[in-house]
Amino acid sequence: MQKHVEIKNKIGQVLRGYLHVPNEYEGKIPAVAIFHGFTGNKMEPHFIFVKLSRLLENHGIASVRFDFAGSGESDGEFYDMTVTREIDDARCILDYLFSLDFVDKQKVSIVGLSLGGAISSYLAGEYREKLHKVVLWAPAGNMKEIAKNVVESNPLIKEKGYIDLGGLLLSEDFYYDLQKYDFFEAIKKYPNKVLILHGTNDTAVPVEVGRKYKEILGDRATLVEIEDADHTFNKYEWERVVLDKTVEFLKD
């Protein structure tokens, strides 16, 4: 079963998304919150989030996937988006998932892609006693470095206060807000299992970032490097590895 759902974030904006629930289940069931990446949405490229949610349904696992405020169909403007605001939205999404009466509160997990992966690694530390498992797809733990390169290559940001990213205006507030966060340090607090999936030909977030997460987490983490894959796994065979490994990890 797939249905449209709406919740409000802490400043009253409506976040729009989908709740997926297996058609048949008994008792409480596991559930997963899926967080999209920078400039992404609740479907992501080649509908990989939709495919993930439907696969999880088939294995008796519920899921939610929302657009963060300022992205997709949710309220707000992309210009106002910051990491702090997306973390606040992610908390609201998690709280909503925990509130559902059919969800097994001991088996709530998160999946995050790119910036959504960085946010997931931050929340893993914050919700360390509540989250069952964490899955990071090409996690942008190096987001500070990426943002710095973007800002330094666009000197007019100081004059205008924003950068035009293909029709989306990114405020300089995003860059300054980002300086507060250390995603690698945050995930050190998480005691449970983590799965990391990363393409070896990722030019947006190099595979070395995934390796750094693995190094930090040690035996708690499994790193799957997908040969030649790009940042969002834009090939059927790469996508299959990501989906199959993620579902296998979450259903165990």
Side-chain angles (χ1 to χ4, degrees):
M1 180 194 76
Q2 174 181 333
K3 70 172 184 177
H4 176 71
V5 288
E6 296 184 354
I7 61 174
K8 287 188 177 181
N9 66 12
K10 66 182 291 185
I11 60 172
Q13 294 171 313
V14 176
L15 305 182
R16 298 179 175 87
Y18 280 93
L19 168 66
H20 292 253
V21 183
N23 287 325
E24 296 181 8
Y25 63 89
E26 293 182 6
K28 306 286 188 180
I29 59 173
V32 182
I34 305 170
F35 300 130
H36 69 74
F38 182 68
T39 73
N41 58 61
K42 60 183 175 292
M43 294 195 297
E44 283 295 9
H46 43 101
F47 320 122
I48 192 168
F49 278 5
V50 182
K51 294 170 184 175
L52 174 61
S53 285
R54 292 176 180 171
L55 278 172
L56 291 171
E57 273 186 64
N58 293 338
H59 289 278
I61 301 172
S63 65
V64 290
R65 46 187 182 84
F66 281 87
D67 294 323
F68 289 127
S71 293
E73 296 179 307
S74 289
D75 286 359
E77 299 295 331
F78 187 81
Y79 179 84
D80 298 318
M81 186 273 297
T82 63
V83 170
T84 295
R85 289 190 175 198
E86 291 209 341
I87 288 173
D88 284 341
D89 286 354
R91 290 187 186 112
C92 293
I93 293 164
L94 268 178
D95 291 345
Y96 166 71
L97 196 55
F98 275 109
S99 76
L100 298 174
D101 58 7
F102 57 83
V103 167
D104 183 343
K105 307 302 189 286
Q106 305 304 312
K107 291 189 177 179
V108 172
S109 302
I110 54 177
V111 175
L113 168 65
S114 193
L115 178 57
I119 287 169
S120 294
S121 61
Y122 183 84
L123 289 177
E126 190 173 283
Y127 284 74
R128 56 189 174 275
E129 296 178 0
K130 292 186 173 183
L131 290 176
H132 181 50
K133 291 182 178 179
V134 172
V135 183
L136 307 176
W137 293 359
N142 65 330
M143 197 66 203
K144 280 187 192 178
E145 180 183 330
I146 295 171
K148 181 180 179 184
N149 291 338
V150 169
V151 168
E152 289 182 350
S153 64
N154 290 272
L156 287 178
I157 190 172
K158 297 291 186 186
E159 179 183 326
K160 294 184 174 180
Y162 64 84
I163 299 170
D164 187 336
L165 295 177
L168 293 173
L169 300 184
L170 180 70
S171 166
E172 63 179 341
D173 290 345
F174 175 85
Y175 171 72
Y176 294 115
D177 174 77
L178 185 56
Q179 306 312 307
K180 299 186 289 192
Y181 296 97
D182 186 330
F183 303 110
F184 298 115
E185 194 63 32
I187 203 168
K188 287 180 182 178
K189 304 170 189 173
Y190 184 66
N192 297 335
K193 296 294 184 182
V194 177
L195 174 65
I196 307 157
L197 294 129
H198 218 126
T200 62
N201 196 33
D202 187 337
T203 56
V205 180
V207 68
E208 285 76 18
V209 177
R211 291 170 183 164
K212 184 172 180 178
Y213 272 108
K214 166 63 179 170
E215 181 183 348
I216 287 169
L217 293 165
D219 292 341
R220 286 172 285 163
T222 299
L223 170 62
V224 178
E225 296 187 14
I226 303 172
E227 194 67 29
D228 296 326
D230 58 14
H231 184 54
T232 50
F233 315 106
N234 293 300
K235 197 173 182 180
Y236 180 77
E237 63 186 74
W238 301 336
E239 178 190 78
R240 288 314 318 170
V241 173
V242 171
L243 292 174
D244 290 347
K245 292 288 186 183
T246 299
V247 172
E248 180 184 354
F249 177 74
L250 291 171
K251 75 178 185 179
D252 283 346

